[in-house]
Amino acid sequence: MNYANDRGAQSRRTTVLLGAGASANAGLPVTSELAARILKRANDSMFIPPWVRILNAVYGAMAGHQGLRGNDPQTAVNIETLISSLRLLQIREDHEVAPFVTTWLPALTELPIATPNGPAAKHLVEAILEYNDTTKPDYLAARISKAVGTLARSELKPDMAAPLRDAEKFVLNELTNILGAQGDVSYLGPLVSLAMNQPGGADVITLNYDLTVERVTDGIIEVNRGVHSWRPGESIHFPTRDRSMNLIKVHGSLDWVVRKTPAPHGLVVSTEIVEADRNAYSSGDASAPWIVVGDRDKLGTDGPTIELNYAAREALRRTDHLAVVGYSFRDEHINTLIRDWMAGDETRTMTVLDKKWPTFSRNSRHDPADFRSQLVATYAPRVDNEGERIQSRLLPVEGTADEKLLEVLKSEPTADPKELITIEQLPEGRNEKLLVTWHGPRLDVTQVEVKPIEQYAGPRGMNRATLSSPEATLGTTSQRSQPRSIIRFFSWGCEETKTIFLNRGPHDEVALTISGPSILGGYTASVVLADYDLI
């Protein structure tokens, strides 16, 4: 692909944020699928070691907890929460909330994980073998008694640290193997085009550990990931340069490993992150990767965590438009970064690509627990106190990265058209045939209502108007107690025209109203249909 020829006018600077969904088209699973796949691999062996039992217990407890809260247990455990839990459980007795937790998960202490090969059993066997030495009977009897007590205590309260470490090591190794086997990444080519054509190159912030972006840029443009020149105690620099890309991997990378080096005089040990051989993943020789998971790691882990987060914030400060691809908005640190950036300048805009956007009605889009719905409520088109629609700063796009990545990089929010509804009126026997076109965002279950402007007209009594349509999938409702008629459609796309038949009095003005939920919130728009001569 000749990326240099795909040159468009760049009036504003675009920065890209990639989530797990951006790598799905390369054949890589998203975070919840990763956890389930690794758990299955752990249980494939006929022999189930203690760390697998621990892993099963942790995964099952997390899924069950979400299920009891009414959430989908199949998506309750993602790879980040699984690794974070394994790490936290290793230090659970030292955790700051430990004094307030009366009982940790009973399954963790009730699992039969003590084995005869443990140190307590080994000491017991050695003492018994030495018991024939009659010169030290009291000493050996005391030693056997101590060894039996130690072994019994290990059964009552087994040492969980070792199997938890083994479980974490297995998860990290399998994570490396799975994510290291990506397929075709050419669909990410628009990122290369952006870096080559945008003045100052491109800043790409990614939450992914995989190497999909590195693969698509290999040999085409210069990519700066920061860690190659980073040293503990220093900042990471991502200067802007033409025809280059800053790839800010805030959660680490499959090919970053930890190297411990003594500081001067041997007083402390500093943690250095170095780049490993990327070809090691195909041969299975890779070490466990340096990746950041969970709230504690993202704030306090060894390595350049804070510097990478600061670099991401700096990249946003120099941009006007953020293109978000495949991010689920479940990371509080990243959500705070986005919220602060959007609040800092009213000219900043976002385009967000997701495989499926939920629709929001007027009453449901203000869910305080859902950051995405809050973005919609705050930055989608709104109506001010005078009835004028406010310019949108958020453009949701439905689709996958291989279908819509280029569109997301080039698109920005625009104002709603002044006329959301246009109608062509045609005679149809004693009725009117209305060709109704909707110009707003796609609506889900859509209601169309017609109502006379004047409810009463002298001796004729109550005016009535009725609607019908062969496309009305949810039936027709006639309101007998009121002079209005309602029909409903399953959905109504942008620029889609529907055929509706209207029956009304020859001199009646009616108001036709279309309303329904959309990915930008609830919409309601009306058009007045004046007298229409059917002759």
Side-chain angles (χ1 to χ4, degrees):
M1 184 176 190
N2 189 354
Y3 300 110
N5 291 335
D6 186 20
R7 185 179 298 275
Q10 296 288 346
S11 58
R12 308 185 74 187
R13 181 169 180 82
T14 295
T15 290
V16 184
L17 172 64
L18 302 178
S23 298
N25 295 118
L28 301 184
V30 295
T31 52
S32 58
E33 295 171 349
L34 264 173
R37 187 178 299 187
I38 289 174
L39 185 73
K40 184 178 184 305
R41 290 191 179 188
N43 285 277
D44 279 346
S45 174
M46 293 182 62
F47 171 70
I48 304 298
W51 65 264
V52 175
R53 298 180 184 277
I54 288 287
L55 185 62
N56 289 337
V58 172
Y59 187 101
M62 295 171 68
H65 177 68
Q66 291 298 324
L68 290 174
R69 298 172 64 186
N71 299 324
D72 183 359
Q74 298 181 88
T75 60
V77 186
N78 63 50
I79 191 64
E80 286 204 358
T81 57
L82 180 61
I83 296 174
S84 179
S85 296
L86 292 173
R87 289 176 176 176
L88 287 173
L89 286 169
Q90 293 175 47
I91 58 169
R92 64 191 185 280
E93 298 299 336
D94 299 322
H95 196 282
E96 53 265 31
V97 300
F100 309 100
V101 180
T102 55
T103 304
W104 293 93
L105 181 66
L108 292 180
T109 55
E110 294 172 2
L111 288 173
I113 64 171
T115 65
N117 296 323
K122 182 179 179 181
H123 294 158
L124 176 60
V125 172
E126 290 175 351
I128 292 175
L129 291 176
E130 294 178 6
Y131 193 67
N132 290 330
D133 186 351
T134 57
T135 62
K136 299 185 289 184
D138 293 339
Y139 165 75
L140 292 173
R143 184 179 174 191
I144 292 175
S145 176
K146 181 179 179 181
V148 170
T150 301
L151 183 60
R153 284 192 297 273
S154 71
E155 286 283 357
L156 293 173
K157 188 177 180 181
D159 179 15
M160 308 298 297
L164 283 167
R165 286 194 299 270
D166 291 341
E168 180 191 349
K169 181 179 179 180
F170 175 84
V171 170
L172 289 174
N173 287 336
E174 287 301 308
L175 174 68
T176 300
N177 294 332
I178 293 172
L179 293 185
Q182 75 268 22
D184 183 17
V185 296
S186 60
Y187 69 94
L188 294 173
L191 297 177
V192 182
S193 299
L194 179 69
M196 295 186 72
N197 299 321
Q198 181 170 252
D203 293 317
V204 177
I205 304 167
T206 179
L207 312 182
N208 303 329
Y209 328 118
D210 62 62
L211 305 175
T212 52
V213 179
E214 287 90 335
R215 298 295 187 195
V216 77
T217 57
D218 190 24
I220 301 176
I221 59 171
E222 179 185 356
V223 176
N224 175 24
R225 303 193 301 169
V227 295
H228 70 282
S229 60
W230 175 76
R231 295 296 178 268
E234 299 179 359
S235 299
I236 296 182
H237 299 289
F238 290 94
T240 58
R241 292 189 298 271
D242 289 346
R243 304 177 67 84
S244 68
M245 178 186 294
N246 289 323
L247 183 58
I248 307 172
K249 307 190 78 169
V250 294
H251 291 171
S253 182
L254 289 182
D255 62 341
W256 293 355
V257 295
V258 176
R259 182 171 67 190
K260 298 283 187 178
T261 54
H265 311 297
L267 297 178
V268 296
V269 173
S270 61
T271 300
E272 195 173 357
I273 306 301
V274 297
E275 295 175 322
D277 181 9
R278 295 179 193 169
N279 296 323
Y281 301 105
S282 59
S283 62
D285 295 332
S287 301
W290 182 82
I291 61 175
V292 178
V293 297
D295 290 342
R296 291 170 65 95
D297 275 5
K298 291 170 184 175
L299 290 178
T301 188
D302 285 342
T305 310
I306 296 176
E307 286 79 7
L308 287 168
N309 277 275
Y310 181 77
R313 188 177 293 273
E314 286 295 293
L316 283 181
R317 285 174 179 166
R318 58 179 174 246
T319 196
D320 310 290
H321 178 236
L322 178 63
V324 181
V325 182
Y327 171 50
S328 62
F329 294 96
R330 294 177 183 171
D331 188 309
E332 291 298 327
H333 297 92
I334 301 302
N335 291 349
T336 300
L337 196 69
I338 294 172
R339 185 191 62 217
D340 292 349
W341 176 75
M342 285 291 282
D345 190 329
E346 293 184 355
T347 66
R348 293 170 177 168
T349 59
M350 290 176 60
T351 302
V352 183
L353 175 65
D354 205 338
K355 188 174 182 180
K356 177 62 177 176
W357 272 82
T359 55
F360 303 96
S361 66
R362 289 186 179 275
N363 296 326
S364 67
R365 76 181 197 179
H366 298 285
D367 181 1
D370 184 354
F371 183 74
R372 181 163 57 174
S373 71
Q374 286 300 297
L375 285 175
V376 171
T378 306
Y379 299 114
R382 307 186 308 283
V383 177
D384 62 18
N385 295 332
E386 297 178 356
E388 296 292 329
R389 297 199 74 83
I390 299 174
Q391 167 70 44
S392 172
R393 294 175 56 195
L394 172 69
L395 175 63
V397 178
E398 280 192 338
T400 56
D402 61 339
E403 301 169 335
K404 298 289 184 71
L405 179 57
L406 183 60
E407 176 184 334
V408 169
L409 297 181
K410 291 187 173 183
S411 300
E412 290 193 45
T414 58
D416 278 340
K418 292 184 178 180
E419 293 184 353
L420 290 171
I421 306 170
T422 55
I423 299 178
E424 181 181 359
Q425 296 172 264
L426 301 171
E428 185 77 14
R430 301 182 64 180
N431 296 329
E432 295 172 60
K433 181 180 180 180
L434 307 179
L435 301 180
V436 185
T437 303
W438 173 253
H439 302 290
R442 179 183 63 83
L443 302 177
D444 275 355
V445 181
T446 310
Q447 175 174 294
V448 182
E449 175 185 328
V450 66
K451 185 176 181 180
I453 300 297
E454 296 182 4
Q455 293 190 9
Y456 297 93
R460 291 185 299 166
M462 182 178 290
N463 297 341
R464 293 187 183 278
T466 58
L467 295 175
S468 63
S469 173
E471 303 173 51
T473 57
L474 297 182
T476 302
T477 302
S478 297
Q479 304 293 328
R480 295 186 177 182
S481 61
Q482 297 186 31
R484 63 176 182 171
S485 178
I486 296 173
I487 58 175
R488 293 182 175 88
F489 298 93
F490 183 75
S491 65
W492 199 326
C494 179
E495 303 302 327
E496 181 182 359
T497 300
K498 293 188 180 295
T499 301
I500 297 175
F501 295 99
L502 169 64
N503 186 308
R504 59 169 169 168
H507 303 292
D508 294 339
E509 287 189 347
V510 297
L512 186 139
T513 302
I514 297 177
S515 60
S518 79
I519 58 179
L520 290 175
Y523 269 74
T524 299
S526 298
V527 172
V528 174
L529 299 177
D531 294 350
Y532 183 66
D533 188 356
L534 296 179
I535 300 175

